[in-house]
Amino acid sequence: MLENDFIEFSNSPWASPVVLTKKPDGSFRFCCDYRKLNAVTKKDSYPLMRIDDALDRLTGTTYFSSMDCNQAFYQVELDEADREK
């Protein structure tokens, strides 16, 4: 991940512990414990709608798209002001 510029070294006080967990197929899952970060993060005043409500809104639509969820987290760049977190 470091070689591919997905991650970088940091000494941030917001740092979260990382654990590599083995999947059933033998590959590894990258996991972070965000509990300390979540405890100090301001709650979103505009939370996402419930998934069933979102799916109901697709009724009658002709086109819709979805994001590739396999590596989607790494495809969204953080705003510079939020990088310390």
Side-chain angles (χ1 to χ4, degrees):
M1 293 179 82
L2 187 60
E3 291 172 3
N4 292 321
D5 279 339
F6 288 139
I7 60 173
E8 61 188 41
F9 287 104
S10 174
N11 290 321
S12 170
W14 300 93
S16 300
V18 173
V19 177
L20 294 177
T21 306
K22 195 172 248 187
K23 294 181 184 180
D25 67 2
S27 63
F28 287 94
R29 176 176 287 121
F30 182 89
C31 302
C32 293
D33 182 358
Y34 291 118
R35 288 178 288 190
K36 288 183 180 178
L37 176 61
N38 291 340
V40 296
T41 301
K42 293 179 185 175
K43 302 301 179 219
D44 190 354
S45 58
Y46 299 99
L48 294 174
M49 67 173 70
R50 294 179 3 189
I51 189 67
D52 56 329
D53 291 336
L55 293 174
D56 286 344
R57 289 186 176 205
L58 294 175
T59 303
T61 58
T62 305
Y63 300 100
F64 67 93
S65 64
S66 63
M67 183 180 238
D68 174 16
C69 292
N70 185 31
Q71 295 292 323
F73 180 81
Y74 306 120
Q75 296 173 15
V76 179
E77 189 171 354
L78 292 175
D79 186 275
E80 192 64 35
D82 295 318
R83 290 181 61 85
E84 70 171 292
K85 299 176 190 150

